[in-house]
Protein backbone atom coordinates (compact mmCIF):
# COMPACT_ATOMS: atom_id res chain seq x y z
CA UNK A 1 0.00 0.00 0.00
CA UNK A 2 1.35 3.43 -0.87
CA UNK A 3 2.11 6.06 1.73
CA UNK A 4 -0.79 8.56 1.85
CA UNK A 5 1.75 11.34 2.45
CA UNK A 6 3.14 10.67 -1.02
CA UNK A 7 -0.26 10.49 -2.73
CA UNK A 8 -0.20 14.23 -3.45
CA UNK A 9 3.45 15.31 -3.47
CA UNK A 10 2.66 18.88 -4.64
CA UNK A 11 0.91 19.58 -1.32
CA UNK A 12 4.23 19.61 0.53
CA UNK A 13 4.54 23.35 -0.14
CA UNK A 14 0.86 24.24 -0.37
CA UNK A 15 -0.35 23.18 3.04
CA UNK A 16 2.41 25.11 4.88
CA UNK A 17 1.68 28.13 2.64
CA UNK A 18 -1.99 28.01 3.66
CA UNK A 19 -1.08 27.75 7.34
CA UNK A 20 1.37 30.67 6.98
CA UNK A 21 -1.17 33.04 5.45
CA UNK A 22 -1.89 36.10 7.56
CA UNK A 23 -5.25 37.68 8.26
CA UNK A 24 -4.25 40.33 5.73
CA UNK A 25 -3.64 37.63 3.08
CA UNK A 26 -7.06 36.10 3.72
CA UNK A 27 -8.66 39.54 3.56
CA UNK A 28 -6.98 40.25 0.20
CA UNK A 29 -8.17 36.91 -1.17
CA UNK A 30 -11.72 37.49 0.01
CA UNK A 31 -11.70 40.97 -1.55
CA UNK A 32 -10.40 39.59 -4.85
CA UNK A 33 -13.09 36.91 -4.73
CA UNK A 34 -15.76 39.55 -4.10
CA UNK A 35 -14.50 41.68 -6.99
CA UNK A 36 -14.46 38.74 -9.38
CA UNK A 37 -17.86 37.54 -8.21
CA UNK A 38 -19.22 41.03 -8.71
CA UNK A 39 -18.00 40.96 -12.32
CA UNK A 40 -19.59 37.51 -12.82
CA UNK A 41 -22.85 37.91 -10.87
CA UNK A 42 -23.70 34.21 -10.91
CA UNK A 43 -20.70 33.52 -8.66
CA UNK A 44 -20.11 33.85 -4.92
CA UNK A 45 -16.76 35.32 -3.82
CA UNK A 46 -16.23 33.03 -0.87
CA UNK A 47 -17.10 29.95 -2.91
CA UNK A 48 -14.73 31.15 -5.62
CA UNK A 49 -11.87 31.41 -3.11
CA UNK A 50 -12.48 27.92 -1.74
CA UNK A 51 -12.82 26.51 -5.25
CA UNK A 52 -9.36 27.94 -6.02
CA UNK A 53 -7.96 26.39 -2.84
CA UNK A 54 -9.56 23.03 -3.66
CA UNK A 55 -8.21 23.03 -7.22
CA UNK A 56 -4.75 23.83 -5.92
CA UNK A 57 -4.83 21.19 -3.20
CA UNK A 58 -6.09 18.44 -5.50
CA UNK A 59 -3.50 19.26 -8.17
CA UNK A 60 -5.77 20.58 -10.90
CA UNK A 61 -3.91 23.89 -10.55
CA UNK A 62 -0.18 23.91 -9.86
CA UNK A 63 1.55 26.66 -7.90
CA UNK A 64 4.84 27.81 -9.45
CA UNK A 65 6.57 29.11 -6.32
CA UNK A 66 9.39 30.65 -8.34
CA UNK A 67 7.01 32.82 -10.36
CA UNK A 68 4.37 34.00 -7.89
CA UNK A 69 3.60 34.05 -4.18
CA UNK A 70 0.77 31.86 -2.91
CA UNK A 71 -1.76 34.68 -2.62
CA UNK A 72 -0.99 35.76 -6.19
CA UNK A 73 -1.41 32.16 -7.34
CA UNK A 74 -4.84 31.88 -5.72
CA UNK A 75 -5.95 35.19 -7.21
CA UNK A 76 -4.85 33.92 -10.62
CA UNK A 77 -6.81 30.70 -10.14
CA UNK A 78 -9.91 32.64 -9.07
CA UNK A 79 -9.53 34.90 -12.10
CA UNK A 80 -9.29 31.88 -14.37
CA UNK A 81 -12.33 30.20 -12.82
CA UNK A 82 -14.36 33.41 -13.13
CA UNK A 83 -13.25 33.92 -16.72
CA UNK A 84 -14.28 30.39 -17.73
CA UNK A 85 -17.59 30.72 -15.90
CA UNK A 86 -18.32 34.02 -17.65
CA UNK A 87 -17.61 32.42 -21.03
CA UNK A 88 -19.74 29.38 -20.18
CA UNK A 89 -22.66 31.66 -19.32
CA UNK A 90 -22.14 33.86 -22.38
CA UNK A 91 -21.25 36.96 -20.37
CA UNK A 92 -19.01 39.64 -21.83
CA UNK A 93 -16.91 40.42 -18.77
CA UNK A 94 -13.53 42.12 -18.84
CA UNK A 95 -11.14 39.96 -16.83
CA UNK A 96 -8.02 40.79 -18.81
CA UNK A 97 -4.85 40.57 -16.79
CA UNK A 98 -2.38 43.42 -16.89
CA UNK A 99 0.10 40.79 -18.13
CA UNK A 100 -2.05 40.26 -21.21
CA UNK A 101 -2.20 43.99 -21.80
CA UNK A 102 1.55 44.49 -21.45
CA UNK A 103 2.68 41.96 -23.99
CA UNK A 104 0.41 39.15 -25.13
CA UNK A 105 2.70 38.01 -27.94
CA UNK A 106 6.10 38.45 -26.32
CA UNK A 107 6.81 35.83 -23.64
CA UNK A 108 10.10 37.46 -22.66
CA UNK A 109 8.43 40.82 -22.05
CA UNK A 110 5.62 39.10 -20.15
CA UNK A 111 8.20 37.45 -17.85
CA UNK A 112 9.77 40.86 -17.19
CA UNK A 113 6.33 42.31 -16.42
CA UNK A 114 5.57 39.44 -14.03
CA UNK A 115 8.85 40.07 -12.23
CA UNK A 116 8.09 43.79 -11.93
CA UNK A 117 4.66 43.08 -10.46
CA UNK A 118 6.22 40.56 -8.08
CA UNK A 119 8.67 43.24 -6.90
CA UNK A 120 5.80 45.65 -6.26
CA UNK A 121 3.86 42.99 -4.35
CA UNK A 122 6.94 42.17 -2.27
CA UNK A 123 7.53 45.84 -1.47
CA UNK A 124 3.97 46.46 -0.28
CA UNK A 125 3.78 43.08 1.45
CA UNK A 126 6.90 43.82 3.49
CA UNK A 127 5.32 47.09 4.59
CA UNK A 128 1.98 45.42 5.34
CA UNK A 129 0.26 47.89 2.99
CA UNK A 130 -2.83 45.77 2.42
CA UNK A 131 -4.71 48.57 0.66
CA UNK A 132 -2.00 48.95 -2.00
CA UNK A 133 -1.91 45.16 -2.40
CA UNK A 134 -5.68 44.99 -2.84
CA UNK A 135 -5.60 47.76 -5.45
CA UNK A 136 -2.79 45.91 -7.27
CA UNK A 137 -4.84 42.71 -7.09
CA UNK A 138 -7.91 44.45 -8.50
CA UNK A 139 -5.85 46.04 -11.28
CA UNK A 140 -4.31 42.65 -12.05
CA UNK A 141 -7.70 41.04 -12.55
CA UNK A 142 -8.67 43.84 -14.93
CA UNK A 143 -10.84 46.09 -12.79
CA UNK A 144 -11.29 49.74 -13.65
CA UNK A 145 -11.34 52.63 -11.16
CA UNK A 146 -15.09 52.69 -10.47
CA UNK A 147 -15.11 48.93 -9.85
CA UNK A 148 -12.13 49.15 -7.51
CA UNK A 149 -13.72 52.04 -5.60
CA UNK A 150 -17.04 50.21 -5.25
CA UNK A 151 -15.57 46.90 -4.17
CA UNK A 152 -12.99 48.31 -1.76
CA UNK A 153 -15.36 51.03 -0.52
CA UNK A 154 -12.95 53.85 -1.41
CA UNK A 155 -13.59 57.44 -2.36
CA UNK A 156 -12.09 58.78 -5.58
CA UNK A 157 -9.47 60.66 -3.52
CA UNK A 158 -8.54 57.54 -1.54
CA UNK A 159 -8.10 55.50 -4.73
CA UNK A 160 -6.03 58.24 -6.38
CA UNK A 161 -3.81 58.40 -3.27
CA UNK A 162 -3.15 54.65 -3.38
CA UNK A 163 -2.50 54.69 -7.14
CA UNK A 164 -0.01 57.57 -6.70
CA UNK A 165 1.72 55.57 -3.94
CA UNK A 166 1.96 52.53 -6.22
CA UNK A 167 3.37 54.66 -9.05
CA UNK A 168 5.96 56.34 -6.80
CA UNK A 169 7.11 52.95 -5.50
CA UNK A 170 7.18 51.54 -9.03
CA UNK A 171 9.48 54.35 -10.16
CA UNK A 172 11.73 53.91 -7.12
CA UNK A 173 11.77 50.11 -6.75
CA UNK A 174 11.55 48.79 -10.28
CA UNK A 175 14.67 48.63 -12.40
CA UNK A 176 14.65 50.98 -15.35
Amino acid sequence: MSDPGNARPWTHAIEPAIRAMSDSDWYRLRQAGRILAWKVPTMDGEALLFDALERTLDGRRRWNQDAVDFVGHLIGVMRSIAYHESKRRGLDVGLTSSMDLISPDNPEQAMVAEELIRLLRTHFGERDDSLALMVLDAMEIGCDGPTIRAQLDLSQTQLETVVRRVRRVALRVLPV
Side-chain angles (χ1 to χ4, degrees), residues 8 10-11 14-15 18 52-59 61:
R8 298 181 301 171
W10 58 87
T11 62
I14 295 168
E15 291 170 357
I18 292 170
L53 279 166
E54 179 183 332
R55 290 177 189 215
T56 299
L57 280 167
D58 71 14
R61 293 300 301 255

Side-chain angles (χ1 to χ4, degrees), residues 66-88:
D66 297 329
V68 65
D69 67 4
F70 191 61
V71 172
H73 162 78
L74 290 173
I75 290 170
V77 174
M78 287 191 294
R79 182 180 158 273
S80 175
I81 294 167
Y83 172 79
H84 290 292
E85 179 65 14
S86 72
K87 290 298 179 198
R88 188 178 76 75

